[in-house]
Amino acid sequence: MNPTRPPARHATHRRGTGVNESGKGESGTGTPARNRRLGSVTEAQLIQRFKNGDHRVARSLYDMHVDRVFRICYRFAGEYDLAQDFTQETFVRAFTKIHTFRGEAAFGTWISTVATSVSLNGLRKVKRLRTRETELDDQLRGASPASRLEPDVRADLHRAIDNLPDGYRAVFILHDLEGYTHAEIGQMLGIQTGTSKSQLFRARARLREQLAVHAGEWAS
C-alpha cells in the first residue's frame, strides 16, 4: 500500500449516515493509543510498525479512525462529497506525517487535529472558488439573491455556522458537536483554554443572533 494514499471509501459512509444528527457528538477523548487493541495488537504497536515501514497496517489504522474523521469533516463541510475529500486528505496527511506523532495525546485526538486543519484550509479554497462562480453566474443570469426561496431552519443553522469566523467555528464544532473539552481543543488548535471558552461563548452568541428569526424552533 502506498503510505500517502488511504484505502478506498469506507463502507459505512453512505449518504445520510456517518453523522450524529442528535446535535451532540461522541466524546472526543478516546482511548490512548498505547491501550487500544485491534485483536492481539495494540494501536501503539500498529503506529510503530507503520513508522518502521510496514505500511500494510495503514488499513487497520484507517478503519479504526475513519468514522471519527469523517464526522468531523462533515461537520465542517456540510456536504457528503466534500467531507469525503477532506477525509481522504486527512489520512494522506496523517500517514505522511505520522513520524511527528509522539504519543503524548491519543492518536484519535491527533488525527482529529489534522482533520480540523484540512477542513478549514479546504473550505477557504472552496469558498473562494464558489464566490467567483456565483458572481459570474449572477452576472450571466441576472439572478438576484432576493429571488431565492427562504431555506428552512436546518439550512439557516448550517449557513450560520459556516459564516462564523474560522476560530469560532472550529471551537463550536469541536466542543458542542464533537464533545471535546476546552483543554483538548486548546491542544488541538494551539490556543489557551480560556481562548477556547471565549470563542465558544462568542460563537454561540452569534448563532443566537443570526437564528433569532427561528426563536420558536431553535433552542439556544
Side-chain angles (χ1 to χ4, degrees):
M1 177 183 295
N2 185 338
T4 64
R5 295 301 304 172
R9 179 174 296 181
H10 192 272
T12 62
H13 287 168
R14 300 184 180 92
R15 236 174 248 282
T17 64
V19 178
N20 184 341
E21 296 294 345
S22 66
K24 183 68 175 177
E26 299 173 6
S27 173
T29 56
T31 304
R34 62 182 177 274
N35 295 331
R36 292 191 62 174
R37 284 188 172 274
L38 188 69
S40 61
V41 182
T42 67
E43 184 180 78
Q45 290 171 329
L46 291 175
I47 293 169
Q48 189 58 52
R49 283 168 57 180
F50 189 95
K51 289 181 177 181
N52 292 340
D54 183 3
H55 297 147
R56 294 172 299 177
V57 302
R59 179 73 202 201
S60 296
L61 291 171
Y62 179 93
D63 287 343
M64 293 171 76
H65 295 283
V66 64
D67 290 331
R68 174 203 297 264
V69 169
F70 178 82
R71 188 177 64 241
I72 290 174
C73 292
Y74 188 91
R75 297 290 195 190
F76 281 102
E79 300 176 14
Y80 180 90
D81 290 335
L82 192 56
Q84 279 292 132
D85 291 341
F86 291 169
T87 298
Q88 296 298 306
E89 177 61 24
T90 294
F91 281 97
V92 169
R93 190 170 301 183
F95 288 152
T96 300
K97 296 184 175 182
I98 200 170
H99 63 280
T100 66
F101 174 68
R102 304 302 182 191
E104 290 89 352
F107 184 75
T109 300
W110 181 79
I111 202 168
S112 294
T113 304
V114 178
T116 299
S117 176
V118 166
S119 297
L120 287 173
N121 290 332
L123 282 176
R124 292 188 191 105
K125 297 176 183 177
V126 169
K127 285 183 177 180
R128 285 196 296 268
L129 176 61
R130 289 180 177 173
T131 297
R132 290 194 294 267
E133 290 177 343
T134 300
E135 290 174 350
L136 177 60
D137 185 65
D138 287 347
Q139 291 173 6
L140 293 176
R141 297 175 179 269
S144 170
S147 67
R148 298 170 186 165
L149 294 175
E150 183 69 16
D152 60 17
V153 64
R154 181 178 292 275
D156 279 357
L157 173 58
H158 287 309
R159 184 178 297 106
I161 293 174
D162 287 344
N163 287 337
L164 290 172
D166 287 348
Y168 293 8
R169 185 169 71 252
V171 172
F172 177 81
I173 288 174
L174 292 173
H175 185 278
D176 280 10
L177 303 184
E178 287 302 312
Y180 285 97
T181 67
H182 286 294
E184 290 171 327
I185 294 170
Q187 183 180 35
M188 294 166 70
L189 301 182
I191 60 178
Q192 296 295 319
T193 298
T195 301
S196 176
K197 292 179 179 179
S198 175
Q199 289 186 338
L200 178 62
F201 175 83
R202 291 169 181 163
R204 288 171 173 172
R206 289 201 181 194
L207 291 177
R208 282 194 294 268
E209 180 181 349
Q210 293 185 46
L211 296 168
V213 67
H214 298 295
E217 305 167 81
W218 170 254
S220 60

